[in-house]
Amino acid sequence: MYELHDIVEMKKAHPCGVNRWEIIRMGMDIKIQCTGCKRLIMMPRKEFDKKMKKVLEKAGE
């Protein structure tokens, strides 16, 4: 579904105006970083699964 360093789109855009996030850490919690302003957000995996819209870029591409 998604892996470390994938670029994902969330359902709501970040206040900086960008809606592209890079997955930085995966485990029980997932840490994502805004590709625009570099803000870090950590949330439980269950919440991330609800809020993620789609994977835009896979890590290896």
Side-chain angles (χ1 to χ4, degrees):
M1 191 171 178
Y2 50 83
E3 297 175 16
L4 196 60
H5 300 294
D6 284 353
I7 304 293
V8 297
E9 180 180 355
M10 303 302 275
K11 289 183 181 174
K12 288 189 177 179
H14 193 244
C16 74
V18 178
N19 200 7
R20 293 170 57 90
W21 298 83
E22 180 181 357
I23 299 174
I24 301 296
R25 179 182 178 274
M26 290 180 64
M28 271 302 279
D29 295 325
I30 294 187
K31 185 184 276 188
I32 55 177
Q33 182 176 32
C34 178
T35 58
C37 65
K38 305 299 183 196
R39 176 84 171 180
L40 290 171
I41 306 253
M42 185 178 262
M43 65 180 72
R45 184 182 287 262
K46 193 173 186 178
E47 182 182 341
F48 177 80
D49 289 340
K50 264 180 29 183
K51 292 184 176 184
M52 187 188 81
K53 194 171 186 180
K54 63 182 174 181
V55 175
L56 298 173
E57 297 175 23
K58 295 300 272 179
E61 296 177 2

